[in-house]
Amino acid sequence: MKKLVFFASGSGSNFQSVINAIENNKITASISGLITDNPGSGAIERAKKHNIPVAVIPFSPKSHFSIQIEQKLAEWKPDLIVLAGYLKKIPDSVIESFKNRIINIHPSLLPKYGGKGFYGQHVHRAVIEAGDTVSGCTVHFVNGEYDRGSIIKQIEVPVKPDDTPESLGKRILIEEHKLLPNVIKQLIK
């Protein structure tokens, strides 16, 4: 059975969508662990409810951060690493060790509205301010640049004339919860 490791900083709703898909036998995999930089992350509670090990590794610019992540990954031995709302840059050493085995979900149609500082409501606000009529979500491979890895799959979501960043974000999140499990299922076959 393929093993997944998740990285999350926020509420963990995308993480939960994959937990649900595994429990409903839509994905044949197990989750070895969750790595988070945020001790207040909602993903931690979701992991605990499902007996998934958690490692809280606060970000630090020193190599200690990279070493701790590498040690956890060596322990958990993932076949695929999934970034689901993780806001820190993955260390280059980890990207090299897991080349084409790290994916990220992003709340826009990359390459638009990607990069450092483009996450959550910041993305949706930028889409609305630009007057775009379509947004969506993307799953892509992770490389050394924020949101620049090869695109695996995208789903489009129309932007309504009366959308707020919050209303657009809610509709995109619904699609993220479908897209991420589907891509994982495809990749681990």
Side-chain angles (χ1 to χ4, degrees):
M1 183 178 297
K2 299 289 186 184
K3 292 193 266 184
L4 312 176
V5 167
F6 276 77
F7 283 62
S9 298
S11 72
S13 69
N14 274 306
F15 175 48
Q16 186 68 54
S17 73
V18 178
I19 291 170
N20 294 347
I22 290 170
E23 289 181 351
N24 294 327
N25 298 314
K26 293 180 179 165
I27 297 174
T28 304
S30 64
I31 300 175
S32 299
L34 167 72
I35 293 175
T36 183
D37 61 314
N38 176 8
S41 168
I44 294 170
E45 285 307 310
R46 295 175 190 273
K48 286 180 179 176
K49 283 182 186 169
H50 298 276
N51 299 312
I52 297 167
V54 176
V56 178
I57 304 175
F59 178 76
S60 92
K62 302 208 176 358
S63 62
H64 190 62
F65 175 71
S66 297
I67 291 166
Q68 285 184 295
I69 288 175
E70 289 166 11
Q71 287 171 340
K72 266 300 154 197
L73 294 174
E75 178 187 334
W76 289 338
K77 298 176 179 50
D79 296 294
L80 184 67
I81 296 171
V82 182
L83 310 186
Y86 187 70
L87 301 181
K88 300 299 178 200
K89 190 170 183 300
I90 298 299
D92 290 338
S93 59
V94 174
I95 293 170
E96 282 303 311
S97 296
F98 291 90
K99 193 170 179 68
N100 294 323
R101 292 192 295 145
I102 307 173
I103 62 171
N104 180 48
I105 186 148
H106 185 76
S108 77
L109 295 175
L110 292 174
K112 289 180 107 179
Y113 310 106
K116 189 169 181 156
F118 276 109
Y119 61 90
Q121 299 303 319
H122 301 288
V123 171
H124 308 310
R125 187 172 295 105
V127 167
I128 291 168
E129 287 174 358
D132 289 5
T133 57
V134 176
S135 189
C137 50
T138 302
V139 175
H140 65 94
F141 286 109
V142 173
N143 65 12
E145 296 178 68
Y146 280 110
D147 302 324
R148 293 285 178 217
S150 300
I151 292 169
I152 301 166
K153 195 166 184 182
Q154 297 180 311
I155 294 179
E156 291 186 354
V157 174
V159 179
K160 297 178 179 178
D162 62 344
D163 260 331
T164 63
E166 294 76 20
S167 65
L168 178 59
K170 282 180 185 172
R171 288 200 323 284
I172 289 173
L173 190 60
I174 290 167
E175 298 306 322
E176 288 180 48
H177 291 166
K178 297 174 192 170
L179 179 62
L180 186 58
N182 286 338
V183 169
I184 290 170
K185 182 178 181 176
Q186 169 192 325
L187 289 176
I188 63 173
K189 276 190 174 178

